Amino acid sequence: MTEAEIVQRLRAAGSVFAEREAAVLIAEAHDADQLEAMVARRAAGDPLEQVVGWAEFDGIRFAVEPGVFVPRHRTEFLVQQAVRLGHPDSVVLDLCCGVGALGAAVRARLGAGVELHAADLDPAAVRCARANLRAATVYEGDLFDPLPDELRGRVDLLLANAPYVPTSDIAMLPPEAREHEHPIALDGGADGLELHRRVIAGAPAWLAPGGRLLIEVSEEQADAAASLMADAGLWAHTELDDEDDDVTVVVIGRRPV
Ligand SMILES: C[S@@+](CC[C@H](N)C(=O)[O-])C[C@H]1O[C@@H](n2cnc3c(N)ncnc32)[C@H](O)[C@@H]1O
């Protein structure tokens, strides 16, 4: 199978980046049979990252198992905000960590002095995060439940890219997400903020004085998320990245000193 034939198959299957994807598949396949199998999976709609087993985020490669959420480049904006507010020995907690991309990217930028903790409910995500994160502790369980008590009141940066798609909008997601990522990674409940309500309510007990909670939400959810933070006693403000067609919104809540 030539590169041109692969491009043609991927394009016919609806890939917008067929040339780039063909180059990645060719580079990753060990032989012609594996290449054929990978092209067939991609043409059938499997996300490229799950076919090759890795995703790139903020210049770092992360192992991704089938079904686990593929980190989105838009979330690099949350990483930028955290880095701006952090320091070289920050205590960072990546809640709902998926493959661990956010915490790893923040530590790569702030330095090895960062103390990194991560947690997720999905055992497959936890397996990926444990493989991806060296010198970090990864916990498995519901939100704050699995965290050790010694972390209470010590977290400088609490990163939480929790699911925020309202249940009724799940059907409108691209099939790559809908059919290949676990529903718990996508479904944010009736208004998309079900997990955030619990994250925000729990955050003050884990944040250090002056520590920040950073969450990514949609533009429509930003005001509601900021008022939830204010109700929890956090000083909230919103940062917007509108450089691309899609606006990315990060709401930041600071625990008063
Ligand atoms: C939108 S994905 C984001 C993953 C990662 N933060 C990222 O940006 O790549 C949401 C993650 O939240 C996890 N999750 C969902 N409900 C959870 C809960 N109750 N407790 C902990 N993690 C949860 C999912 O398993 C999934 O990995």
Side-chain angles (χ1 to χ4, degrees), residues 69-72 75 94-99 101-102 119-122 125 141-143 161-163 184-186 195 198:
F69 187 85
V70 175
R72 311 294 204 257
T75 309
D94 184 353
L95 209 58
C96 300
C97 67
V99 301
L102 277 55
D120 201 286
L121 183 60
D122 173 13
D142 181 37
L143 298 185
N161 185 24
I184 62 159
L186 304 170
L195 264 288
R198 294 169 55 212

Side-chain angles (χ1 to χ4, degrees), residues 65 68-69 97-100 120-130 138 182:
E65 283 189 26
V68 176
F69 187 85
C97 67
V99 301
D120 201 286
L121 183 60
D122 173 13
V126 169
R127 260 196 315 275
C128 291
R130 287 188 176 141
V138 183
H182 294 152

Side-chain angles (χ1 to χ4, degrees), residues 146-237:
L147 302 178
D149 273 347
E150 64 86 18
L151 205 52
R152 282 181 190 274
R154 291 184 53 232
V155 177
D156 298 303
L157 296 170
L158 203 175
L159 322 173
N161 185 24
Y164 60 86
V165 180
T167 306
S168 55
D169 291 354
I170 297 282
M172 290 182 280
L173 290 177
E176 285 187 357
R178 214 171 356 101
E179 293 168 13
H180 297 278
E181 291 174 329
H182 294 152
I184 62 159
L186 304 170
D187 192 339
D191 65 352
L193 292 174
E194 226 160 74
L195 264 288
H196 297 82
R197 268 188 197 88
R198 294 169 55 212
V199 170
I200 292 168
W206 297 89
L207 287 173
R212 266 93 168 193
L213 166 66
L214 295 95
I215 63 173
E216 181 182 292
V217 292
S218 72
E219 232 179 329
E220 297 73 35
Q221 294 164 337
D223 287 347
S227 358
L228 287 169
M229 285 191 188
D231 291 347
L234 302 175
W235 296 336
H237 79 280

Side-chain angles (χ1 to χ4, degrees), residues 58-167:
D58 205 35
I60 306 173
R61 268 193 190 196
F62 294 92
V64 183
E65 283 189 26
V68 176
F69 187 85
V70 175
R72 311 294 204 257
H73 287 294
R74 66 185 309 152
T75 309
E76 290 165 359
F77 181 61
L78 186 153
V79 168
Q80 288 162 21
Q81 298 307 313
V83 169
R84 185 174 64 76
L85 299 166
H87 45 83
D89 54 359
S90 286
V91 176
V92 176
L93 170 61
D94 184 353
L95 209 58
C96 300
C97 67
V99 301
L102 277 55
V106 167
R107 185 172 58 183
R109 287 179 178 271
L110 286 178
V114 162
E115 179 184 324
L116 179 57
H117 301 260
D120 201 286
L121 183 60
D122 173 13
V126 169
R127 260 196 315 275
C128 291
R130 287 188 176 141
N132 288 323
L133 297 175
R134 266 170 244 108
T137 320
V138 183
Y139 312 90
E140 181 180 324
D142 181 37
L143 298 185
F144 301 99
D145 283 359
L147 302 178
D149 273 347
E150 64 86 18
L151 205 52
R152 282 181 190 274
R154 291 184 53 232
V155 177
D156 298 303
L157 296 170
L158 203 175
L159 322 173
N161 185 24
Y164 60 86
V165 180
T167 306

Side-chain angles (χ1 to χ4, degrees), residues 8-15 42-45:
Q8 208 175 357
R9 273 177 72 181
L10 297 180
R11 200 174 282 141
S15 167
R42 180 66 192 122

